[in-house]
Amino acid sequence: MKGTLTQNGQDSEATSENVLAALSGKEFFWLDLDDSAQDGTVAELLGVHFKFHPLAVTAAEKFAVRPRFDDYDDFVYLAARGADPHDTGEAEVHCFWTDRYIVTVHRGDCPSVMAVRNRIDQHHIATNNASPQIVIVYLIVNALVDGFFPVLNDFDDKIDALEDDILKQPTEEQLGVLFDMKRSLMNMRKVIAPQRDMMASINAGVSDVPGMTDEAARYFRDLYDHLIRLADLVDSYRDLLSSVMDTHLSTVSNRLNVVMKQLAIIATVFLPLSWLTGFFGQNFGFLVNHLITRTWTFYVIGLGTEVVAVGLLYILFKRRGWLGGPTV
């Protein structure tokens, strides 16, 4: 079993002897467990020794789950997630806590848990007479939630750069990037929205949260405010991506129209030329006898009619504005 036991400000390895000794005592402790091995030892410890409800233990074994908050008779279970753009699975923490201890479960080197361990004594919530378990839960969830802001800031920069590139030269690769970004936003919304609702239920006092005080409730309301801001950002970026996608499609359509207009102009220019050359190229006796004996007919009728046709088409295109000029 891999983990860290924190008691009386001292960290020690979470061996079976240390955990059972802390559990049998009366002092508060924080047990942080790493379930990367997924060999069932963490589930056995939670179910057999801590006697947590089997449903909560089973929920803690599954990761990439919907954030949730469950109130049991003698403990509270909470699953919180943060930003994980690379799908590392290291931005999810499951918390069990009572009045005397708190147990957190994660997989891998969770940056949020490491950040809490480094700053737990310096944060101002710890000096406002808040219970230690509330301090730990708040700091962990706060670190997970705040992890979304830099990711969304990068999204903002990527959207601006992508929009500029689309206006310059739209490509199919950009359309693939748009779909990937939209999928990432949807995945973040699936985490942020239920986590916002979970925090709303905690602030509403629907469940009895061990260690919650009026002062601590202010910090959880601040978390709720952060989640509302994140949900609004995700919705605005999703709408912005939709508009960028519409811009891409309209730009491609406009470029296609320009190409079609150019091809139509070329085809229209060659239409009278083809008719003239086809007409005078007929091997009828009248045409051969009346035109072949005169030199000027080649220049006047043969070439002159074609030049006149091209000139008339140019004037027509110019008046219609097809060559870029104003429409007359």
Side-chain angles (χ1 to χ4, degrees):
M1 181 173 59
K2 183 180 179 181
T4 303
L5 177 66
T6 302
Q7 191 173 25
N8 295 325
Q10 301 295 325
D11 295 339
S12 60
E13 185 179 355
T15 61
S16 299
E17 294 78 8
N18 292 339
V19 173
L20 294 178
L23 188 59
S24 60
K26 295 183 179 181
E27 295 181 352
F28 175 83
F29 66 90
W30 172 22
L31 177 60
D32 180 44
L33 299 174
D34 185 355
D35 193 25
S36 300
Q38 304 181 43
D39 53 3
T41 56
V42 172
E44 180 182 358
L45 177 66
L46 297 177
V48 176
H49 298 287
F50 283 89
K51 302 186 185 312
F52 291 136
H53 196 281
L55 289 177
V57 175
T58 302
E61 290 183 292
K62 300 176 182 179
F63 277 64
V65 298
R66 179 186 176 93
R68 56 186 294 185
F69 175 82
D70 297 324
D71 181 17
Y72 292 89
D73 294 335
D74 53 351
F75 72 96
V76 168
Y77 167 73
L78 180 145
R81 295 176 61 183
D84 192 8
H86 303 295
D87 294 327
T88 61
E90 298 177 352
E92 182 173 352
V93 181
H94 298 253
C95 302
F96 301 80
W97 82 88
T98 66
D99 291 326
R100 200 175 63 81
Y101 57 80
I102 179 170
V103 181
T104 56
V105 182
H106 58 85
R107 289 179 181 173
D109 297 329
C110 182
S112 299
V113 174
M114 297 301 297
V116 171
R117 193 178 300 281
N118 294 331
R119 64 192 288 248
I120 187 171
D121 295 331
Q122 289 78 27
H123 198 276
H124 44 78
I125 187 177
T127 62
N128 288 335
N129 298 323
S131 58
Q133 62 269 38
I134 289 295
V135 172
I136 294 172
V137 171
Y138 166 77
L139 291 178
I140 290 177
V141 177
N142 183 67
L144 291 172
V145 170
D146 287 348
F148 284 103
F149 286 105
V151 175
L152 290 176
N153 287 336
D154 292 340
F155 254 86
D156 192 9
D157 297 336
K158 290 179 180 178
I159 291 174
D160 291 340
L162 190 60
E163 192 170 19
D164 293 338
D165 293 339
I166 288 174
L167 293 176
K168 293 178 182 177
Q169 180 65 44
T171 61
E172 292 185 2
E173 183 181 357
Q174 295 166 348
L175 199 59
V177 173
L178 279 172
F179 280 115
D180 290 339
M181 294 176 67
K182 200 166 186 178
R183 190 180 302 111
S184 299
L185 279 179
M186 290 302 297
N187 291 335
M188 280 193 283
R189 180 172 176 77
K190 291 178 181 179
V191 174
I192 293 173
Q195 203 151 268
R196 176 196 59 193
D197 298 339
M198 176 186 71
M199 203 57 58
S201 65
I202 293 176
N203 290 326
V206 177
S207 303
D208 185 16
V209 180
M212 181 64 74
T213 61
D214 293 339
E215 182 64 26
R218 293 189 177 95
Y219 289 91
F220 278 82
R221 285 195 294 270
D222 182 66
L223 272 179
Y224 178 62
D225 178 68
H226 286 186
L227 289 166
I228 290 178
R229 288 169 52 198
L230 287 172
D232 292 341
L233 282 175
V234 169
D235 290 339
S236 63
Y237 287 149
R238 186 175 59 176
D239 295 339
L240 188 57
L241 278 179
S242 298
S243 66
V244 172
M245 192 172 299
D246 293 339
T247 302
H248 182 279
L249 296 177
S250 63
T251 304
V252 171
S253 179
N254 290 337
R255 288 179 179 271
L256 179 61
N257 291 336
V258 171
V259 173
M260 293 300 296
K261 185 178 73 173
Q262 293 172 347
L263 293 177
I265 291 175
I266 294 173
T268 306
V269 168
F270 279 93
L271 179 62
L273 302 183
S274 300
W275 184 86
L276 290 172
T277 55
F279 178 80
F280 289 104
Q282 301 177 92
N283 294 322
F284 290 110
F286 179 83
L287 291 175
V288 173
N289 295 331
H290 288 79
L291 296 180
I292 197 170
T293 58
R294 297 176 178 86
T295 305
W296 61 269
T297 56
F298 171 76
Y299 297 101
V300 175
I301 299 177
L303 296 180
T305 54
E306 295 186 359
V307 172
V308 170
V310 173
L312 292 175
L313 289 175
Y314 175 80
I315 295 173
L316 176 63
F317 294 159
K318 194 71 173 178
R319 291 175 64 86
R320 294 290 179 87
W322 293 359
L323 299 179
T327 303
V328 181

